[in-house]
Amino acid sequence: MTKAAASSVPPAPARAGSRRGRSGRLITALAATGAARAAYAALTRRPPGEAAMWERRNHRGEVLTLLEGPATAVGAALATACAPGVPGRWRAAGVLAAVAGAGLGTYDDLAGSSDRRGFKGHLGALAKGELTTGGAKIVGLGAAGLAAGALVQRRPVDKLLAGVVVAGTANLINLFDLRPGRAAKAVLLAGAPTLLRGGPAASLAAAPVGAAAALLPEDLGERAMLGDAGANALGAALGVALAAGSSRTSLLAKALVVGALTAASEKVSFTKVIAGNPTLNAIDMLGRRAPAPAAVPRQLSAEDPVASA
């Protein structure tokens, strides 16, 4: 074998490690998908409490279930707990983040109201001594994010930045949950770079990515929705994967991006931005049902009270 040919062949241990890494990611993703599908089947067959409390109506007037959220959270948490090749502290952080996101999101889904919206609304209420469900979720996700960040980083500053990434990503994914499939697609797209890079963090990312993909057909078909429970759980688990093992520079960059997008959401409609960009709109509409036709106002006649007044 020539020197050029020899130099083009990776060492055997490197190839073996790469194969193990790909295998670990695949195992984790399949575990997340299978667990999420099984959980969804079980939950829809026997919903906790009454089925009606998990039901919501969409813009078409059709009934959807929120049980997709808890099901995807179960898939992400279980797959993270058994992800191969991942340090125990990182697995614990991922499970903690997913469970906290699911619990706090479920509380907001079932007990929340639309009186207060966004960070400004909830924190403004908190400043006046009123604890909204959204305010409780902000505080809870912040605490869970800091706890998870402390498990995936070693130095105090890095732990803090990691906590911001975890909690911020949990909230950010939820901000995308305004149209069918949008939040799940955001998880798939945001998790892809980490999956492709490989390493233990890739196996962590495979859990929320696999869980998001598992029930995407139900979401796109407008039979179910993630709600806060699913979006917060998937976002928090993805945040752990983004923060685990990252350098301080990378953590700072991710924290700034998450913070900037969150701040922008208070002023700008993500839906309008996506609709105005051909590429983003094409991704957003991929797999979705055609929009419901706008209602055409009935032409008033002389017999109508308003017309004859």
Side-chain angles (χ1 to χ4, degrees), residues 38-121:
Y40 183 70
L43 288 170
T44 51
R45 188 166 54 248
R46 292 188 177 179
E50 296 182 1
M53 79 180 197
W54 297 95
E55 293 175 348
R56 299 292 184 273
R57 287 192 179 273
N58 65 3
H59 62 288
R60 302 176 196 271
E62 299 171 349
V63 176
L64 307 100
T65 179
L66 287 169
L67 290 170
E68 177 190 350
T72 54
V74 168
L78 288 179
T80 298
C82 62
V86 177
R89 289 169 62 90
W90 291 14
R91 290 201 305 270
V95 172
L96 168 65
V99 171
L104 292 163
T106 299
Y107 170 58
D108 201 16
D109 280 335
L110 300 183
S113 70
S114 57
D115 294 341
R116 300 282 196 280
R117 290 184 178 276
F119 268 90
K120 185 177 180 180

Side-chain angles (χ1 to χ4, degrees), residues 6-190:
S7 63
S8 66
V9 179
R15 292 200 303 272
S18 178
R19 285 196 297 270
R20 283 196 297 271
R22 287 194 296 270
S23 176
R25 279 172 270 170
L26 181 60
I27 289 170
T28 303
L30 291 176
T33 301
R37 295 293 317 180
Y40 183 70
L43 288 170
T44 51
R45 188 166 54 248
R46 292 188 177 179
E50 296 182 1
M53 79 180 197
W54 297 95
E55 293 175 348
R56 299 292 184 273
R57 287 192 179 273
N58 65 3
H59 62 288
R60 302 176 196 271
E62 299 171 349
V63 176
L64 307 100
T65 179
L66 287 169
L67 290 170
E68 177 190 350
T72 54
V74 168
L78 288 179
T80 298
C82 62
V86 177
R89 289 169 62 90
W90 291 14
R91 290 201 305 270
V95 172
L96 168 65
V99 171
L104 292 163
T106 299
Y107 170 58
D108 201 16
D109 280 335
L110 300 183
S113 70
S114 57
D115 294 341
R116 300 282 196 280
R117 290 184 178 276
F119 268 90
K120 185 177 180 180
H122 293 302
L123 293 180
L126 192 60
K128 297 176 182 178
E130 178 188 352
L131 181 61
T132 63
T133 55
K137 190 174 69 170
I138 290 172
V139 173
L141 284 176
L146 289 173
L151 289 170
V152 298
Q153 290 291 339
R154 298 289 184 182
R155 298 177 179 177
V157 173
D158 297 338
K159 291 180 179 183
L160 177 61
L161 289 172
V164 171
V165 171
V166 174
T169 306
N171 180 69
L172 185 59
I173 294 300
N174 191 40
L175 294 177
F176 282 100
D177 192 31
L178 295 175
R179 292 294 185 274
R182 182 181 293 173
K185 289 176 184 176
V187 172
L188 299 180
L189 291 173

